[in-house]
Amino acid sequence: DVKVTQSSRYLVKRTGEKVFLECVQDMDHENMFWYRQDPGLGLRLIYFSYDVKMKEKGDIPEGYSVSREKKERFSLILESASTNQTSMYLCASSLRRLGAFFGQGTRLTVV
Amino acid sequence: GESVGLHLPTLSVQEGDNSIINCAYSNSASDYFIWYKQESGKGPQFIIDIRSNMDKRQGQRVTVLLNKTVKHLSLQIAATQPGDSAVYFCAENYGGSQGNLIFGKGTKLSVKP
């Protein structure tokens, strides 16, 4: 089975902190994605990567950056956390244009 | 812009009945569709997918139907069980080379015992 693992289930951070969300997949997938999920807004794509060291902006990249130094790991970085970044963050991976498999999610609260 | 949508935001069914969850898509270039199930506090779980060269695909207790003429996708769950209670949402791949998906907002399925 595909396994996508996010480093934390719950995080509480202070406004202005730099936050790292880590994601690891074990199926050698080329594509990896970071989404945030908010009530009434559904899943929104922040960034994605289709290869090591490659990254592309999604629909809402502002305030975020990403890093993909190894194929299996995709990190989401909040440069200076703000309260409007309180959300559920979901990492996913996929093989080429097939369906994406998601991690369990990280619920981030910024206070 | 073009997006995936759902007809019904909530659906309540009796245990043992069949459930049908609908989805409309607007991008005629989309050629791959997926249904996901998301239980409370968990990440979305891949259920079943279908390519545009098919009209129907069956899994275990689930069937996805694709009607390209009216750009409609449905998920049928047979003999719905309490464990099926979740939010279901569809996603479409609009043909982007990197596998980007557009997600619908979701339908909440509640199963009454």
Side-chain angles (χ1 to χ4, degrees):
Chain A
D1 284 349
V2 174
K3 190 158 187 183
V4 179
T5 304
Q6 294 180 230
S7 54
S8 305
R9 288 295 305 276
Y10 301 95
L11 277 178
V12 180
K13 297 292 182 181
R14 294 190 181 279
T15 300
E17 277 193 80
K18 191 168 185 177
V19 182
F20 293 85
L21 301 183
E22 306 286 345
C23 176
V24 176
Q25 52 97 1
D26 65 358
M27 285 302 291
D28 203 35
H29 285 172
E30 294 96 343
N31 301 328
M32 295 190 75
F33 308 84
W34 274 106
Y35 294 89
R36 62 178 284 177
Q37 186 177 35
D38 301 287
L41 297 176
L43 282 161
R44 293 182 290 169
L45 181 64
I46 304 171
Y47 266 97
F48 66 97
S49 168
Y50 52 87
D51 201 353
V52 176
K53 296 190 186 296
M54 304 299 288
K55 60 184 179 183
E56 293 286 341
K57 293 180 179 179
D59 300 320
I60 51 164
E62 296 77 20
Y64 303 94
S65 63
V66 290
S67 172
R68 190 155 181 212
E69 296 297 318
K70 294 184 178 181
K71 192 175 186 179
E72 67 271 18
R73 186 179 297 270
F74 193 35
S75 303
L76 179 69
I77 304 154
L78 284 67
E79 299 292 343
S80 178
S82 63
T83 54
N84 63 12
Q85 291 179 310
T86 293
S87 185
M88 169 71 93
Y89 288 88
L90 290 160
C91 174
S93 73
S94 74
L95 184 65
R96 301 185 192 94
R97 292 185 63 236
L98 299 179
F101 291 86
F102 286 84
Q104 77 278 23
T106 296
R107 185 163 294 281
L108 172 67
T109 302
V110 183
V111 298
Chain B
E2 295 177 314
S3 64
V4 172
L6 293 172
H7 293 307
L8 299 173
T10 60
L11 179 65
S12 184
V13 299
Q14 203 70 39
E15 181 179 357
D17 287 351
N18 296 334
S19 303
I20 300 175
I21 301 171
N22 297 303
C23 176
Y25 66 95
S26 58
N27 193 328
S28 57
S30 295
D31 60 358
Y32 178 60
F33 305 87
I34 309 164
W35 279 101
Y36 288 92
K37 172 186 180 183
Q38 187 174 22
E39 297 174 272
S40 181
K42 296 184 179 180
Q45 177 186 356
F46 181 105
I47 302 174
I48 191 167
D49 60 0
I50 188 168
R51 295 203 175 277
S52 59
N53 60 354
M54 302 172 68
D55 298 322
K56 178 180 180 179
R57 190 167 188 218
Q58 288 184 290
Q60 188 177 14
R61 280 200 310 117
V62 295
T63 301
V64 55
L65 298 177
L66 176 63
N67 186 331
K68 296 180 286 293
T69 302
V70 295
K71 296 178 186 172
H72 184 266
L73 191 68
S74 68
L75 177 71
Q76 299 179 1
I77 305 173
T80 313
Q81 302 169 359
D84 295 327
S85 294
V87 174
Y88 291 81
F89 49 91
C90 60
E92 65 178 303
N93 185 304
Y94 54 87
S97 60
Q98 306 309 332
N100 294 12
L101 298 172
I102 300 174
F103 292 89
K105 296 285 192 293
T107 292
K108 184 175 181 179
L109 176 66
S110 295
V111 182
K112 295 178 287 187

